[in-house]
Amino acid sequence: MSSSTRPQDAGRQAADPDLCPAPLTAARHRGVYARPLARLSDLTAAAAAELLALALPVDCVCCGAEDSALCGACSRQVRALTLRPFRAEAQAPALMDMDGSVLLPVVAAGTYRAELAQSLLSFKRHGQPRLAGELAGSLARALHAAAGPAPGLILVPVPTSAAAFRKRGFSPVHLLLRRLIRGHDIEEFTLADALRKTRWREGHARAVRAGVRNLPGRGTGGQKGLGRGARARRVRGSMRVRAGPWPARIQGRTCIIVDDVLTTGATLAEASRALRAAGAVIGGAVVVAATRPPVSADPAARVPALAADGRKEKI
């Protein structure tokens, strides 16, 4: 008889984990820092933020409580809304073919609603560090859920327009990715800032050569409020791969497009077109939030499947 089935142990009850916690030596920090300096930097920044919240409290962007830019309760809610990344392309008309096949698979960290939507909106307006930290963590979860064990993937952020950059002073997607790189959270990926916005006249000429008519005017606003057709016409021909070493770096490599919010999918479709024209293999896209909830609760979002879907169809 083995020791695990001895009579004297048969009536012994299992230890209550709340009353008998595991030894401290068995505990591990949830985020593994490759360098001690990165951990020290994060701890120092967190302590400074707490002191600043006590000395100069501000209103939480979500609930309005006097705390910091994002209070503890709303911060936990943002994390809860992005714990289960999901496939979101089925709700984006520009990413689905007429027969229902997927043109570009997309993984979203969460649905654009409640605290997540308000945090994203406030971050894009002001770029507060506390908001950047929470949203970067959400983006990292979606990237890891999408990639799975596949190594050597290239992340290509969607470029912001010159007008938006002048207004904000930063690019939201680039800022989040740089934060993840500094924290060594996405070391399995390679960042390639390979896309750029074309000048309006250049993009307009490309779209006309492609047979697109009734293009909207240049304008200075974004795509908010535009329908599916207007969004598609506005972004057609608006991106291209940067000159220099970028075409050679992405040619034949699997790329994952990264953006902040998915609406109709027109922007991601244009980014995919520009990358494919330069010889890249599109494995899919990842966004922080999708404006429409998933049609199912299935979070199946592994890049081997994404890459296969991306190679089957061309936008």
Side-chain angles (χ1 to χ4, degrees):
M1 180 179 294
S2 65
S3 59
S4 59
T5 57
R6 289 173 182 171
Q8 60 268 31
D9 294 336
R12 185 177 299 170
Q13 295 182 350
D16 189 333
D18 293 328
L19 299 178
C20 303
L24 292 178
T25 54
R28 293 186 62 188
H29 194 275
R30 294 176 65 183
V32 179
Y33 289 83
R35 299 178 183 176
L37 186 60
R39 178 182 176 86
L40 178 62
S41 176
D42 276 1
L43 292 176
T44 303
E50 294 293 339
L51 290 175
L52 186 61
L54 291 174
L56 298 171
V58 296
D59 292 343
C60 171
V61 300
C62 294
C63 68
E66 271 199 1
D67 193 339
S68 60
L70 193 65
C71 71
C74 292
S75 176
R76 290 190 293 273
Q77 188 62 22
V78 169
R79 289 195 291 272
L81 290 170
T82 57
L83 279 178
R84 296 177 178 84
F86 58 88
R87 288 283 291 269
E89 71 277 355
Q91 300 300 298
L95 305 181
M96 300 295 295
D97 206 348
M98 297 296 292
D99 62 359
S101 59
V102 176
L103 296 176
L104 180 69
V106 181
V107 174
T111 304
Y112 189 76
R113 65 180 179 87
E115 289 84 358
L116 179 58
Q118 190 58 48
S119 296
L120 257 174
L121 184 61
S122 298
F123 167 66
K124 293 174 72 171
R125 286 177 176 173
H126 308 294
Q128 295 102 326
R130 178 69 184 271
L131 299 177
E134 291 295 342
L135 296 175
S138 301
L139 178 59
R141 284 190 289 274
L143 288 169
H144 292 141
L153 298 171
I154 297 178
L155 302 181
V156 181
V158 170
T160 189
S161 65
F165 189 86
R166 287 193 298 268
K167 182 178 179 180
R168 297 182 183 130
F170 66 98
S171 169
V173 177
H174 288 76
L175 194 153
L176 294 178
L177 289 174
R178 284 197 298 268
R179 190 180 184 96
L180 291 176
I181 290 173
R182 287 198 303 268
H184 302 279
D185 296 307
I186 52 173
E187 290 186 324
E188 62 270 40
F189 300 99
T190 300
L191 180 63
D193 190 14
L195 289 174
R196 73 171 180 86
K197 290 279 189 177
T198 60
R199 294 184 177 88
W200 181 81
R201 292 185 184 278
E202 181 184 354
H204 186 278
R206 288 173 179 270
V208 169
R209 287 196 297 270
V212 179
R213 297 291 185 264
N214 301 321
L215 286 168
R218 183 173 190 170
T220 57
Q223 298 189 71
K224 186 176 181 180
L226 298 179
R228 173 188 176 185
R231 284 175 181 262
R233 289 192 298 271
R234 179 167 228 173
V235 302
R236 189 71 58 87
S238 64
M239 297 183 205
R240 64 174 300 178
V241 172
R242 296 177 185 272
W246 294 110
R249 289 184 183 179
I250 64 173
Q251 189 171 18
R253 301 287 301 279
T254 301
C255 297
I256 303 296
I257 305 167
V258 184
D259 203 1
D260 50 4
V261 180
L262 171 67
T263 50
T264 66
T267 299
L268 292 178
E270 171 61 15
S272 177
R273 180 205 61 78
L275 290 170
R276 280 197 174 101
V281 177
I282 307 302
V286 172
V287 297
V288 179
T291 56
R292 297 172 178 84
V295 293
S296 70
D298 181 14
R302 300 297 179 191
V303 149
L306 292 185
D309 289 343
R311 285 194 294 265
K312 282 191 298 183
E313 301 289 344
K314 291 186 178 181
I315 294 178

